[in-house]
Amino acid sequence: MVLPKALLPCRVKKAASRAALARAEKQLKFEIPDDYKEALLESDGFEGFIGDGDYVQLWPAAKLASLNRAYDARSIVPDGVLLGSNGGGEGYWLRKKRGRLEYVLIPFSGGEEADAIKLGTTFSGFIKKLGVGAFP
């Protein structure tokens, strides 16, 4: 996978290992989609402004399970994984809804799954949406 252009201004990190991804999936009891795995195999997490749009901090594979526990993520999205945040009180999630995967944004404080704002169904679509500014 070639990382989406919108991620180029972000701080790119050392690649995740396949073993770290497998551990994360086992600990999370959630299968990470191939497109997101491929991105993590190029850069194990991302941080910075995307294009002309939003700030993103996506966590490294080795920290996904522990940070999901720390945020009690399953109490907000039972069939999902918290991937990181926008640094402003909202989390980026990957969830299964009616058998389909969606990248969504949900507030941390008092947020519920019903408050989710859909940002895409693929990693590149999610990043593209953030890169043009998902919110006015």
Side-chain angles (χ1 to χ4, degrees):
M1 163 185 239
V2 175
L3 293 175
K5 286 183 184 180
L7 279 175
L8 295 179
C10 288
R11 186 169 31 147
V12 176
K13 302 177 181 185
K14 181 181 167 190
S17 69
R18 291 190 186 281
L21 288 169
R23 275 192 303 279
E25 288 180 313
K26 183 177 180 179
Q27 291 170 345
L28 292 164
K29 296 180 175 88
F30 190 93
E31 185 176 345
I32 298 168
D34 289 341
D35 62 343
Y36 192 56
K37 280 186 206 177
E38 290 174 22
L40 290 172
L41 287 169
E42 289 191 36
S43 177
D44 193 10
F46 305 91
E47 185 171 355
F49 286 93
I50 297 182
D52 295 328
D54 298 299
Y55 182 81
V56 65
Q57 180 185 41
L58 298 177
W59 300 325
K63 293 187 176 182
L64 282 172
S66 64
L67 289 168
N68 271 262
R69 283 190 302 275
Y71 280 91
D72 195 21
R74 289 284 163 100
S75 71
I76 299 169
V77 181
D79 201 8
V81 172
L82 180 59
L83 301 175
S85 81
N86 65 2
E90 297 164 312
Y92 297 120
W93 303 74
L94 180 60
R95 72 173 179 183
K96 289 181 187 172
K97 185 175 181 183
R98 291 183 225 125
R100 296 183 53 123
L101 291 171
E102 295 179 336
Y103 291 85
V104 298
L105 180 82
I106 300 173
F108 286 128
S109 180
E112 298 178 7
E113 189 170 8
D115 300 322
I117 297 170
K118 184 176 172 183
L119 300 174
T121 57
T122 64
F123 180 68
S124 60
F126 161 62
I127 295 302
K128 183 177 180 180
K129 179 83 170 181
L130 294 178
V132 296
F135 311 100

